[in-house]
Amino acid sequence: MSTARRDHLPHENGAYSDGDDEREEEEEDGDEGDGEEVEEPRLKYQRLGGSVPTILSTDAAAAIAVAERMVALGTHNGTLHILDFQGNQVKEIAAHTATINDISFDADGEYIGSCSDDGTVVISSLFTDEKLKFEYHRPMKAIALDPDYSRNYRRFATGGLAGQVLVLTKRTWGGGYNKKVLRDGEGPIHAMKWRTDLLAWANDAGVKVHDMKTDKGIAFIERPKGIPRPEFLVPHLVWQDDTVLVIGWGTSVKIAAICTDLSQGLNGIQRTITAASSEKYVDIVGSFQTGYHISGIAPFGDLLVVLAYIPDEDDKDKKFSTSVPSRQGTAQRPEIHLVSWKNDELTTDALPIHGYEHYKAKDYALAHAPFSGSSNAGGQWAAGDEPLYYIVSPKDIVVAKPRDAEDHIAWLLQHGWHEKALAAVEAGQGRTELLDEVGSRYLDHLIIERKYAEAAQLCPKLLRGSPSAWERWVFHFAHLRQLPVLVPYIPTDNPQLSDTAYEVALVALTTNPSFHELLLTTVKNWPSTLYSASPVISAIEPQLNSSSMTDRLKEALAELYVINNQYEKALNLYAELLKPEVFEFIEKYNLHDAIHDKVVNLMILDSKRTVHLLIQHRDIIPPYEVVEQLLHTSKNCDKRYLLHLYLHGLFEIDIHAGKDFHDMQVELYADYEPRMLLPFLRTSQHYRLDRAYEIFAQKELVKEQVFVLGRMGNAKEALSTIINKLEDIQEAVEFVMEQHDDELWEELIRQCLQKPEMVGMLLEHTVGNLDPLYIVSLVPDGLEIPRLRDRLVKIVTDYRTETSLRNGCNDILKADCVNLLVKYYHEARRGVYMVSMDEEAHGNRADDGSSRASERSTSVRALDIKSRTRCGARCCLCFDPLPIQDISVIVFYCCHAYHLSCLEGGLDLMKSNSNQDSDNGSDDDDGSPSAESRMRCVLCTTAAA
């Protein structure tokens, strides 16, 4: 997989950059020329700052090693600098006097070992003053501390130009170290790495792996053929894990897997190297050649990071039999290649290292820190995060690490993939603050592309609840004259913007008729408290009489008038637009005085509601004003019909309110609603009869002609019209009966005799009004009358029926009269008990009949007045005055009054004289046994007897 090379410039201040302008232009040109898809880099780079620039300003870097909590940098002066991950020096060890060739930490990061060209090996404790120094008098090129150095007898391995692989172990007693030579006589030792119990080293012959636990060699991997001598291109060894060793040497890469059985090796590749031990053996699970020199190699998950040195073109044509490029100062920049085990390149990044033009392949080094965690002091990378890669040159150190989500987003933005960048941020990649930056850049990009609608649609998601951001973009869209596309998305709360922003948005919608619909919707939907309506009104009013004025703009202006409390102006527009809600608007704001000149529009809109409104407020809008507007309107409508509706409604409510227009109303009724003419003619007295008759004659309205003729006094002509035109004898009879004129009966008979059919119909309808025998006697002899016999039979039958009904009614009337007289007589015989004034004042009653006396108190008082008039207000027996204190009085309907004591004595005397039993005839016919009902007027009873 081929990829385009990328130039990356790490800044000293720690910022990242993907290259300067010139390199970016070159890259873009290359991409366009190759037509290849741009690949996102996997790593990002940063120059190591802190104390490093100061150290390298007077010295040169020679070796580097990385522990879990620190970085060790060895220089050509032989000094060992202990740094934190920010590059700040925490300790300095003056270990050697010449170039440091290799550095090694133990697994705990407590001890550090280094070797130098001065022939010494120094092992120092990082946290104590313990320090060991070994002299070998030959340059030492490699060192590896036992991972369990402090717990495993302070064991370490080293080697150099002497060609011996030395393993030193501290004696358990007596002090000193035991020295053991693992290998000798195969040339200088160039590299050495120790992982768990496995020690790997490289010499001129190749790479060997030794099991330190069993003290047996596991495998020997030959040196690649055709590569320069190790002193020009040194081999690089790195353990990917406890069982995988990666070897980079010259232009060759091999991946060796340490196996413990006879099964297939990793990735299905068969075992290619015969194991030196039956317990463990090595499989080469990956191998490939590169087109560049390898200056360092490190694992990157299941991939490899390779520090590449690009040889000159002249050197590529030569065999690798000689050493270095012949020309100085023309070297190319080193590169970081991210490749798979099958040499598939994913990314290639060129690094502009300071002074790269003068460096050789062996001047570079690569170290990595694949630890599971790190110290959180100083703000290093968090636990479990990506590894770090340190690219070392004599005067520069660059740190590389995998790009994170924010780097991915920044790369997408750089290449114009704003939508993908936004999707990444929304998916939770990176800090939430990035949404503002990504959103702003995305909107800027869309604006540049003139995708205004798409930009407006994204604003709610990108700007969210920031009032300042919203206002900035509102004014920006306004500056671009594209604000109408943003208006539907402008928030009205959460956040709420300044009133100026809303006013600018509304004014922008008034400029083009295509925006007027949106303006109306916006004015209706936005709360009126958000903005002042005056600026928007001022922007619309100049357009009222122009061609750009639309109905939607008028309606929007009406809504703004309402917001601004200019209700009459709003009513003018609503009436002009014929809006159905104008009636509710009039009632809501009591605008009846303002509809004087809007009658026609309102009638066109809804005549029924308008008529009701005009009649209800006819004191404000008089009928003559309504009639005048309807008669002289120039609008395209049936003004006569509207006038008819108004006058008809007015007449039904008040028959005199429109009396001045009743002549006109007669004509309107004749045109639109003839059935209402007769009720109108009977009710109204304010129309001209002659004019009405002319109208009815023109329109052949016969019944109305008859009514007018009758009203004019021309009853005979009216009767003739009924008979000759309507041929309705019943109507003629009813008309004659209404006139109460006997001569008309004679005229009716006379005219009917001229038509035999009329005679028969007259006989049917005159029963009860005329004597049928009289009509028959006037019929000329020989006149043939259709169905005469049947009609005569009906007349006789109807007459008998009428006579029978009259007799029955008379009998019923007589019986009712007798019954009522009997009832009256019995009522008149009763006495009414009247209490004294004091008893009446206190509400007392003397007997069980008191309630009845109370119910008829009004009648009693009337009788009392009559009694006083007739008898002088004296008792009819003792002739003493009636109103005596504490003496009860009985009054009868015959207007005679007695003291109760006098009446009782008189009745007893009458009973004894007549020798009648008290049980016979003493009760009322109604059977009431009360004392009152047994009392009778003495005078009337005596007179009757």
Side-chain angles (χ1 to χ4, degrees):
M1 176 179 178
S2 61
T3 59
R5 292 174 55 183
R6 296 179 182 82
D7 296 336
H8 293 270
L9 177 62
H11 295 284
E12 293 181 2
N13 59 6
Y16 297 96
S17 173
D18 286 339
D20 55 18
D21 295 340
E22 180 180 354
R23 287 192 293 271
E24 287 179 357
E25 291 176 1
E26 292 175 357
E27 181 179 339
E28 289 175 1
D29 294 340
D31 291 343
E32 291 176 1
D34 297 339
E36 296 179 353
E37 181 181 357
V38 179
E39 292 288 342
E40 181 178 1
R42 297 291 188 92
L43 298 172
K44 60 182 178 180
Y45 304 88
Q46 178 183 13
R47 276 196 170 91
L48 189 61
S51 305
V52 172
T54 303
I55 295 171
L56 299 183
S57 64
T58 58
D59 203 349
I64 191 170
V66 185
E68 186 173 357
R69 292 175 290 179
M70 65 197 72
V71 177
L73 175 65
T75 66
H76 283 284
N77 287 341
T79 304
L80 199 58
H81 301 274
I82 307 301
L83 311 173
D84 64 12
F85 286 102
Q86 305 302 319
N88 301 307
Q89 180 171 294
V90 296
K91 190 173 184 178
E92 181 177 332
I93 303 174
H96 308 278
T97 60
T99 300
I100 296 176
N101 293 316
D102 197 10
I103 304 171
S104 176
F105 284 100
D106 68 340
D108 298 328
E110 296 180 357
Y111 292 89
I112 184 171
S114 60
C115 61
S116 172
D117 284 345
D118 63 3
T120 61
V121 173
V122 177
I123 299 176
S124 304
S125 173
L126 296 172
F127 303 104
T128 67
D129 295 333
E130 181 182 353
K131 184 176 180 181
L132 298 175
K133 187 173 184 179
F134 301 88
E135 296 280 354
Y136 294 102
H137 309 291
R138 294 284 305 269
M140 303 302 289
K141 297 295 185 181
I143 184 172
L145 298 185
D146 188 329
D148 293 328
Y149 174 81
S150 61
R151 295 181 294 275
N152 203 6
Y153 304 102
R154 309 295 174 91
R155 185 170 59 170
F156 67 95
T158 185
L161 294 183
Q164 292 180 334
V165 177
L166 301 177
V167 177
L168 284 80
T169 306
K170 188 176 181 180
R171 295 190 183 99
T172 56
W173 55 273
Y177 275 78
N178 291 324
K179 182 173 68 173
K180 180 180 180 180
V181 178
L182 289 184
R183 188 68 60 179
D184 191 9
E186 296 180 352
I189 307 301
H190 303 290
M192 184 178 292
K193 296 295 178 183
W194 198 330
R195 182 71 174 253
T196 62
D197 295 324
L198 300 176
L199 176 64
W201 68 85
N203 53 29
D204 287 347
V207 177
K208 292 188 177 183
V209 181
H210 192 86
D211 188 342
M212 299 300 292
K213 184 176 183 180
T214 61
D215 196 19
K216 294 181 180 180
I218 296 177
F220 168 70
I221 304 172
E222 291 183 350
R223 169 187 166 186
K225 297 178 180 181
I227 62 173
R229 294 192 304 272
E231 57 265 27
F232 299 111
L233 285 177
V234 297
H236 299 276
L237 306 178
V238 61
W239 288 98
Q240 178 167 320
D241 54 34
D242 292 345
T243 60
V244 177
L245 176 65
V246 180
I247 305 168
W249 198 340
T251 59
S252 172
V253 176
K254 291 184 179 181
I255 300 97
I258 311 301
C259 303
T260 56
D261 56 27
L262 299 177
S263 63
Q264 283 188 336
L266 269 62
N267 295 341
I269 300 177
Q270 293 291 338
R271 186 155 51 96
T272 58
I273 304 299
T274 303
S277 170
S278 60
E279 296 179 358
K280 292 182 180 180
Y281 61 91
V282 172
D283 269 349
I284 301 301
V285 296
S287 177
F288 57 87
Q289 294 292 320
T290 67
Y292 46 81
H293 296 168
I294 298 172
S295 294
I297 194 166
F300 185 85
D302 57 353
L303 304 174
L304 296 174
V305 173
V306 181
L307 177 57
Y309 178 85
I310 310 300
D312 291 337
E313 295 296 330
D314 295 340
D315 295 326
K316 290 183 180 180
D317 297 334
K318 299 178 181 179
K319 299 288 185 181
F320 286 129
S321 59
T322 61
S323 56
V324 292
S326 59
R327 292 176 298 168
Q328 299 296 320
T330 59
Q332 299 185 37
R333 287 178 291 180
E335 297 178 350
I336 291 292
H337 291 246
L338 190 62
V339 299
S340 68
W341 288 7
K342 297 181 179 181
N343 199 26
D344 294 327
E345 289 196 3
L346 279 73
T347 59
T348 300
D349 303 325
L351 303 176
I353 300 296
H354 292 328
Y356 68 89
E357 300 92 342
H358 307 285
Y359 297 149
K360 305 173 185 178
K362 67 176 184 178
D363 292 328
Y364 296 102
L366 174 64
H368 75 292
F371 306 114
S372 58
S374 68
S375 171
N376 57 13
Q380 292 91 6
W381 46 285
D385 275 356
E386 67 283 347
L388 300 176
Y389 299 89
Y390 292 83
I391 299 101
V392 179
S393 67
K395 293 294 183 178
D396 209 358
I397 299 178
V398 175
V399 182
K401 63 180 179 179
R403 296 169 64 88
D404 57 18
E406 294 186 10
D407 298 315
H408 170 65
I409 293 169
W411 183 83
L412 291 173
L413 290 175
Q414 178 186 356
H415 289 79
W417 295 326
H418 299 84
E419 189 172 357
K420 292 182 179 179
L422 179 61
V425 175
E426 291 178 339
Q429 302 178 18
R431 295 172 289 109
T432 55
E433 294 80 1
L434 279 176
L435 183 59
D436 295 334
E437 178 184 353
V438 173
S440 180
R441 294 183 63 175
Y442 192 10
L443 291 177
D444 287 334
H445 167 72
L446 292 175
I447 294 298
I448 293 173
E449 296 291 328
R450 299 192 176 187
K451 297 179 180 179
Y452 303 113
E454 187 176 348
Q457 188 176 5
L458 286 172
C459 279
K461 178 167 44 175
L462 301 181
L463 305 182
R464 296 174 293 166
S466 173
S468 58
W470 269 106
E471 291 181 10
R472 180 168 62 86
W473 281 102
V474 166
F475 293 124
H476 187 45
F477 271 81
H479 177 71
L480 297 172
R481 297 186 179 181
Q482 296 296 327
L483 191 52
V485 300
L486 181 63
V487 169
Y489 306 102
I490 296 177
T492 57
D493 58 359
N494 194 26
Q496 180 175 326
L497 312 184
S498 65
D499 53 353
T500 304
Y502 295 111
E503 292 163 9
V504 168
L506 292 175
V507 170
L509 296 177
T510 66
T511 58
N512 193 310
S514 61
F515 304 147
H516 293 170
E517 180 73 30
L518 178 59
L519 173 63
L520 175 60
T521 303
T522 305
V523 169
K524 288 183 176 180
N525 293 339
W526 281 2
S528 59
T529 56
L530 295 178
Y531 58 91
S532 172
S534 298
V536 189
I537 292 174
S538 300
I540 299 176
E541 284 181 336
Q543 304 181 47
L544 279 175
N545 298 320
S546 66
S547 59
S548 62
M549 195 65 181
T550 63
D551 288 346
R552 293 304 184 190
L553 187 57
K554 288 181 181 179
E555 187 175 353
L557 179 59
E559 296 286 342
L560 292 168
Y561 280 143
V562 174
I563 294 173
N564 217 30
N565 298 325
Q566 297 175 273
Y567 303 119
E568 291 191 9
K569 289 186 176 181
L571 177 60
N572 292 336
L573 294 174
Y574 282 140
E576 183 179 348
L577 294 170
L578 304 179
K579 302 297 292 183
E581 57 269 22
V582 67
F583 298 99
E584 289 80 4
F585 185 78
I586 293 171
E587 296 296 334
K588 181 177 180 179
Y589 296 105
N590 194 23
L591 299 175
H592 306 100
D593 288 335
I595 63 175
H596 287 273
D597 57 344
K598 303 172 184 62
V599 171
V600 177
N601 285 342
L602 294 178
M603 288 292 289
I604 294 173
L605 175 61
D606 190 334
S607 58
K608 182 177 180 181
R609 298 182 67 176
T610 304
V611 167
H612 176 74
L613 179 65
L614 294 174
I615 293 174
Q616 187 178 8
H617 299 280
R618 58 187 179 275
D619 54 333
I620 300 175
I621 311 165
Y624 73 85
E625 187 174 326
V626 177
V627 173
E628 184 73 15
Q629 287 190 50
L630 290 175
L631 283 176
H632 298 92
T633 181
S634 59
K635 294 185 179 295
N636 185 18
C637 62
D638 190 349
K639 56 185 179 182
R640 286 178 53 79
Y641 178 69
L642 296 178
L643 185 60
H644 160 67
L645 293 178
Y646 170 71
L647 291 176
H648 172 65
L650 182 64
F651 181 78
E652 287 187 333
I653 299 299
D654 186 350
I655 61 175
H656 302 292
K659 62 181 181 180
D660 296 337
F661 309 103
H662 282 193
D663 283 330
M664 182 189 303
Q665 199 166 355
V666 169
E667 186 175 357
L668 294 174
Y669 273 130
D671 289 338
Y672 297 105
E673 209 167 358
R675 63 182 182 84
M676 298 300 298
L677 269 173
L678 284 178
F680 174 78
L681 296 174
R682 292 189 180 102
T683 306
S684 175
Q685 302 294 329
H686 305 290
Y687 58 89
R688 293 170 50 195
L689 295 174
D690 54 345
R691 174 60 181 160
Y693 183 77
E694 291 178 4
I695 294 171
F696 300 151
Q698 292 175 2
K699 297 185 177 297
E700 297 182 352
L701 299 174
V702 180
K703 291 185 179 180
E704 288 74 10
Q705 294 180 47
V706 171
F707 180 83
V708 172
L709 288 172
R711 179 70 68 88
M712 295 171 67
N714 197 349
K716 290 185 178 181
E717 186 177 353
L719 181 61
S720 175
T721 302
I722 295 173
I723 295 175
N724 296 324
K725 293 184 178 180
L726 291 180
E727 296 182 351
D728 188 344
I729 293 299
Q730 184 176 358
E731 180 75 18
V733 171
E734 291 176 359
F735 175 77
V736 174
M737 291 174 62
E738 290 175 358
Q739 300 302 316
H740 303 288
D741 187 352
D742 293 339
E743 292 183 1
L744 282 179
W745 288 109
E746 296 293 338
E747 180 66 19
L748 173 62
I749 295 172
R750 185 183 63 79
Q751 294 194 26
C752 287
L753 290 177
Q754 299 175 6
K755 299 179 179 181
E757 180 61 31
M758 289 291 184
V759 175
M761 296 173 62
L762 180 63
L763 290 173
E764 291 180 358
H765 292 89
T766 55
V767 176
N769 297 310
L770 290 175
D771 185 359
L773 295 178
Y774 176 71
I775 297 175
V776 172
S777 64
L778 295 178
V779 174
D781 294 338
L783 181 64
E784 184 177 351
I785 300 173
R787 299 170 47 234
L788 177 61
R789 186 187 64 181
D790 296 338
R791 286 169 172 163
L792 290 176
V793 169
K794 183 177 182 301
I795 290 172
V796 174
T797 302
D798 291 343
Y799 182 77
R800 289 177 179 176
T801 301
E802 182 180 356
T803 303
S804 176
L805 288 174
R806 286 182 178 178
N807 292 336
C809 289
N810 288 334
D811 293 341
I812 293 172
L813 179 61
K814 291 177 181 178
D816 289 343
C817 290
V818 171
N819 292 334
L820 291 174
L821 286 173
V822 170
K823 184 175 181 180
Y824 174 75
Y825 170 73
H826 287 297
E827 289 291 333
R829 293 177 61 193
R830 294 186 178 186
V832 179
Y833 180 73
M834 298 182 64
V835 300
S836 65
M837 299 300 291
D838 292 340
E839 290 176 332
E840 184 177 4
H842 290 85
N844 297 326
R845 297 294 183 266
D847 54 26
D848 296 338
S850 61
S851 60
R852 191 173 303 160
S854 176
E855 293 172 0
R856 299 169 185 170
S857 59
T858 304
S859 300
V860 169
R861 288 189 178 91
L863 291 175
D864 182 45
I865 293 173
K866 291 180 181 180
S867 176
R868 290 186 183 187
T869 304
R870 180 175 297 182
C871 302
R874 295 177 178 273
C875 176
C876 293
L877 292 181
C878 68
F879 299 105
D880 289 335
L882 291 176
I884 298 177
Q885 194 78 10
D886 297 331
I887 297 179
S888 299
V889 176
I890 298 296
V891 180
F892 294 94
Y893 280 88
C894 58
C895 297
H896 295 135
Y898 304 90
H899 293 124
L900 179 61
S901 56
C902 297
L903 181 61
E904 289 177 346
L907 291 176
D908 292 340
L909 180 62
M910 291 176 60
K911 291 179 182 178
S912 61
N913 292 334
S914 60
N915 295 322
Q916 291 183 351
D917 194 305
S918 59
D919 295 332
N920 296 328
S922 61
D923 293 336
D924 260 346
D925 293 336
D926 57 3
S928 176
S930 65
E932 180 187 345
S933 63
R934 293 195 301 268
M935 294 183 181
R936 297 290 182 266
C937 178
V938 174
L939 296 180
C940 295
T941 304
T942 304

